[in-house]
Amino acid sequence: IDLAPDVWDHARVNEAALAAQPSPASDQVALTVAAILHLLGVAGDLADGLTRARQIMLSGAALRRLNRARSI
């Protein structure tokens, strides 16, 4: 079984989500980040975490971090 195309498709979907391109995947990423920020005490609640997550994604910071990790 060749899984490579599925892996690349998944990678493209995640990259688009981090670039804040509207999609169910970007909503899922934002919600996951919101929960993490809340659990870490960075955000006061999930709504605050969701606002922060979307700001991070819209600013391009999330995609820049991904690209920096790729260069390592």
Side-chain angles (χ1 to χ4, degrees):
I1 298 173
D2 183 12
L3 298 178
D6 292 337
V7 171
W8 290 113
D9 288 342
H10 186 71
R12 279 190 292 277
V13 165
N14 282 306
E15 183 174 4
L18 290 177
Q21 294 178 9
S23 70
S26 67
D27 292 342
Q28 177 62 45
V29 168
L31 187 57
T32 300
V33 171
I36 291 168
L37 292 174
H38 176 61
L39 290 172
L40 292 175
V42 175
D45 57 24
L46 283 177
D48 180 33
L50 190 56
T51 297
R52 290 171 183 255
R54 291 195 189 281
Q55 288 173 343
I56 291 166
M57 293 163 68
L58 288 169
S59 74
L63 191 57
R64 284 192 301 275
R65 182 67 64 144
L66 173 64
N67 289 330
R68 187 175 358 156
R70 285 178 173 160
S71 69
I72 297 175

